[in-house]
Amino acid sequence: MPPSMVSGDSQVVFFDLETTGLDTNVCDIIQISAISGDSVFDVYTFPCSPIPYNVTQITGLSLGNSGLLHHGNQVPTVLIGTGLASFISFLRSFQRPLLIAAHNGSRFDVPVLERALQVHGLMCYFQQMKPRFLDTLLLGKQLFPTGISSYSQENLVQHFLGTSYDAHNALADVKALQELYRKWDPDRENVSLCSF
DNA sequence: TGCCAGGCCCTCTTTAGGGCCTT
C-alpha cells in the first residue's frame, strides 16, 4: 500500500456519492464509489425519486424503462440498502482505523451517507468501525490559503496535476481525489485539523 | 402566489449580503 494511503495508523479511503440533488435532507444516492490504493469500490443504486434533468446533465445518469442509464447505456444497480452494506464490507476489509476522505464531505457526502445509513438501519454497523472523516476541501484551503482561484475538486486537479477528468462520475472523482492527495502529501497535523 | 439547500466564509460587514462547494 502506498505510504500516502496511510495517515498515522489510519487507512485513508476516498469516497464520493452521486445523488439526485443537492438537498442533503431528501436526495437519493445513485452511485457510491471509493478507493484506497488499488482497492476500488463502485456501485450504482436505483433511486426512489426521479432524477432531475439538471442532474442528468451533470452526471449523465437518468432513468430508463428498464433501469438506470449512464449516458444512455444501462448500468447494473443494487438496492440502496445492499449497496450500503457492501460499502461497509469494503471498509471493514482494511482492518485498521479508517480516515474516510471526500471533497466538501463535511457539508455534503457525509450527511447524505449518514442519513442513508440511518434510514436503512445500518448506522450501528458503520459506527462499529469508528471511522473519522477528512474534508479535502478544507484541507486544500488549509494547505494553500492563497493563489488558488477555486477550490472545486475539478479546479484543484487541473491546478496541481495538470489534468482534467470525467468529473461527476463518482469513480473518476475518487481516483482523481486520491491522486490529488498523493500530490499534496499532507502531514498529520494538517490532516487532523481538517478531520472530524 | 411564489418560492424552492444550506451553512461557512469573506467583505464594499457587524441593524448584511453574496459567493462558494457538493449533485
Side-chain angles (χ1 to χ4, degrees):
Chain A
M1 188 67 67
S4 61
M5 294 310 98
V6 175
S7 178
D9 297 328
S10 297
Q11 184 81 30
V12 186
V13 179
F14 302 87
F15 98 108
D16 186 51
L17 303 176
E18 301 304 321
T19 70
T20 56
L22 291 172
D23 187 341
T24 57
N25 294 307
V26 299
C27 66
D28 283 350
I29 295 171
I30 41 182
Q31 188 183 12
I32 308 171
S33 296
I35 191 169
S36 188
D38 294 328
S39 300
V40 173
F41 178 86
D42 184 38
V43 299
Y44 290 96
T45 59
F46 199 85
C48 297
S49 56
I51 300 176
Y53 179 67
N54 70 307
V55 173
T56 295
Q57 286 185 307
I58 292 167
T59 65
L61 293 167
S62 61
L63 293 178
N65 291 330
S66 54
L68 185 65
L69 309 176
H70 185 233
H71 294 302
N73 300 310
Q74 188 162 341
V75 293
T77 59
V78 298
L79 295 173
I80 179 60
T82 303
L84 291 169
S86 298
F87 184 46
I88 291 172
S89 295
F90 173 76
L91 295 173
R92 277 190 177 145
S93 70
F94 295 107
Q95 299 184 319
R96 62 192 303 169
L98 293 170
L99 184 62
I100 303 175
H103 202 67
N104 202 25
S106 62
R107 307 286 307 283
F108 187 76
D109 300 85
V110 174
V112 172
L113 175 66
E114 289 187 331
R115 180 175 57 84
L117 289 168
Q118 199 78 53
V119 166
H120 291 87
L122 294 168
M123 180 59 97
C124 57
Y125 302 104
F126 184 76
Q127 287 179 329
Q128 282 174 356
M129 298 182 287
K130 297 182 170 61
R132 285 179 59 76
F133 294 100
L134 167 65
D135 190 328
T136 55
L137 172 60
L138 301 179
L139 182 62
K141 290 182 176 179
Q142 173 78 23
L143 293 173
F144 310 101
T146 61
I148 306 293
S149 60
S150 163
Y151 292 88
S152 71
Q153 181 176 318
E154 198 167 7
N155 189 69
L156 290 171
V157 168
Q158 179 64 53
H159 182 92
F160 286 98
L161 303 180
T163 58
S164 57
Y165 66 101
D166 183 19
H168 297 297
N169 175 277
L171 183 57
D173 278 331
V174 295
K175 287 179 177 178
L177 191 59
Q178 177 168 253
E179 291 308 308
L180 187 63
Y181 187 88
R182 281 174 169 161
K183 178 74 173 181
W184 287 353
D185 193 20
D187 60 34
R188 289 176 64 173
E189 182 179 356
N190 280 309
V191 169
S192 180
L193 284 171
C194 301
S195 301
F196 55 101

